[in-house]
Amino acid sequence: MSDDPRAGALEIGERLSQSPSARLVALAFSEELDAQMGLAEMVGWVDLAHTLCLADAGVIPQAPARELIGALLDLQRAGDFEPRPEFGDLYTNREAWLTRKTAAAGWLGVARARREALTTAYHLKVCDALCNLCDALVATVETWIAVSRRHRDSVMPDYTYLQAAQPTTFGHYIQSFAWPLLRDWDRATELHARMNQCPAGIGSANGSVIEQDRWAIARRLGFTAPVRHARDAMWMHDLAIEACAIAVSVCVNVSRLAEDLMIFASAEFGFVRLADGHSRASKIMPQKRNPFALAFARATANRLLGVQAGVAAAGRTPSGQMDNRLYAYGAIPEALHAAGEAALLVAECVDDLEFNQKRALQALEDRAVCAADLAERLTAEAKIDYRRAHGAVGRLVANLEAQGRTLADATPEDLGAALRSAGAGEEVINTADILACALDVTRCVGARKDVGCASPKEVAAMAEELSRAARERREQIAETRADRKAAIDALFAEARSFAGDSR
């Protein structure tokens, strides 16, 4: 077995007497390695920090420590490192490569399980993925802010239960999807603070006889602190579930907008027209422009819901099980990436679409969306309680409907009759003026001046507030990235100096 190049990395001839079966390699080893490949760069950082700390402590003698650091730097630059399933996971593939370069590779595993290196790299990878997601969320919000400003006066019906409800503007409508993304941004940064703690230096789960200086490892990698409890450091599955929840929250919010726009882009509505660049032609129906980009965003949300369930199920085991993390190494960063990309795609769709004001106004012609405004004005002017005002307008709409008419056709006499039937007098109000005000959709929108409401002035004020929030968050992400980059640059400078590597 000693002639097998895998022997040292896979402990063949030591605890194990046989090489892994071909089926095990093709199935389990292959899938495990695929899930870990995104960690390759970060595992290199972790190995350098680990080795430097043990060299500082005198655990690894200076000569082999310099040789090992030099080999690790070569591996980080290597163009010939191609991990293969027959050599096991990413860690053992790296170990096999290092063993071919230097006998000092045997010092790499001092006081450390492979899981420690991979888990620490996973924390670094997820932190990076969260920063990327935050970037995408800020960019999406900024795009939607610009669209809301362009359309703060673009009147349209708003919908509940997919029925025309009240008048609004397209600008106000689009903004309603920006605020949830800021909350997702906040959730992502809160998770980043939890992920930005270092699991390294704990042996396997409970510490090791050889003390590794966990604070020193954390500082070298740019973490804020070591994870406080050693066993918890290896099995923080709640953070994987939380990361999936954030990705799902982003995608569900984006999918809700995509669903609406698919409806608004249909021939039956025609409020918006998706750009050709975000559409796909039908292969059988020449007239169709399928909103493929929006459908893809919806499909991403559906897929990540499944990922979230799978990740949660993987954690529902006795503690300390390898299947807690078998797929999470790849699935969590990919889910965060997919969520950010879906948000950016829908942001692009919104930025490039055309809003059809004529069709939106046609949908408002019957003035059904003004019914609540009419009832509120009756309450304010006639001093009757809203229940009676609501009843009067409800009777008015029902009577008009029975005659084949709409609220737009209502006369002062119609309103007076409805008031009397509700037990409210009409003598104290001017029904003509109330109807004129209530059925003017532009005035209805303009009257919504309270905090967060649809008046153009308030939409503009919210756009400015969103812009400030986006700028602040963009600056915070940049600072977070700069802190990590400074730590990793310092780590490599230290490693090159230690190894006498001038490259």
Side-chain angles (χ1 to χ4, degrees), residues 194-449:
R194 288 185 277 278
M195 290 296 304
N196 199 25
Q197 297 179 32
C198 186
I202 55 82
S204 173
N206 306 314
S208 62
V209 173
I210 296 174
E211 188 172 338
Q212 300 179 58
D213 193 347
R214 296 189 63 213
W215 272 102
I217 298 175
R219 283 193 296 270
R220 280 186 165 106
L221 292 170
F223 287 108
T224 56
V227 176
R228 186 66 179 88
H229 190 279
R231 191 171 191 274
D232 180 44
M234 283 298 99
W235 309 107
M236 301 172 76
H237 199 74
D238 57 307
L239 300 188
I241 295 171
E242 186 177 359
C244 281
I246 291 168
V248 166
S249 179
V250 170
C251 281
V252 167
N253 180 53
V254 167
S255 178
R256 290 168 65 220
L257 172 57
E259 294 265 13
D260 284 358
L261 293 177
M262 290 173 74
I263 294 169
F264 292 160
S266 67
E268 290 75 11
F269 281 75
F271 296 171
V272 301
R273 179 183 174 87
L274 212 62
D276 284 353
H278 299 126
S279 305
R280 191 159 78 174
S282 168
K283 297 303 289 184
I284 188 172
M285 291 168 280
Q287 83 281 9
K288 290 187 68 182
R289 299 171 67 257
N290 293 326
F292 185 74
L294 301 176
F296 179 82
R298 178 175 61 187
T300 300
N302 294 340
R303 179 172 66 83
L304 293 192
L305 283 165
V307 172
Q308 181 184 32
V311 167
R316 196 212 54 74
T317 65
S319 64
Q321 300 300 309
M322 60 83 62
D323 46 343
N324 293 169
R325 190 98 23 83
L326 185 61
Y327 299 111
Y329 287 135
I332 301 306
E334 193 282 327
L336 295 170
H337 173 76
E341 290 299 304
L344 289 171
L345 178 61
V346 176
E348 189 178 274
C349 290
V350 172
D351 197 29
D352 290 347
L353 62 74
E354 297 176 11
F355 179 76
N356 190 331
Q357 181 65 88
K358 181 179 178 181
R359 285 297 298 269
L361 288 173
Q362 287 173 350
L364 293 165
E365 284 179 353
D366 65 3
R367 295 300 189 264
V369 297
C370 299
D373 292 68
L374 178 56
E376 289 182 6
R377 289 180 185 277
L378 288 175
T379 292
E381 297 295 327
K383 307 302 180 188
I384 59 176
D385 67 75
Y386 189 73
R387 189 74 266 140
R388 282 199 292 168
H390 185 284
V393 175
R395 287 183 178 86
L396 172 62
V397 171
N399 291 336
L400 292 168
E401 188 178 88
Q403 300 168 35
R405 300 161 66 201
T406 68
L407 192 56
D409 304 318
T411 65
E413 291 74 24
D414 292 325
L415 180 57
L419 281 167
R420 290 191 296 275
S421 68
E426 59 177 303
E427 61 279 354
V428 297
I429 60 172
N430 186 323
T431 52
D433 284 351
I434 288 179
L435 273 176
C437 290
L439 302 185
D440 183 329
V441 291
T442 301
R443 291 177 71 174
C444 287
V445 171
R448 289 164 158 76
K449 300 176 182 178

Side-chain angles (χ1 to χ4, degrees), residues 1-14 16-19 84 86-87 96 99-100:
M1 301 302 291
S2 60
D3 294 333
D4 189 337
R6 301 170 296 173
L10 298 178
E11 286 77 41
I12 302 167
E14 297 173 6
L16 302 177
S17 60
Q18 280 186 301
S19 298
R84 303 201 307 270
E86 56 264 34
F87 283 91
T99 300
R100 292 195 296 272

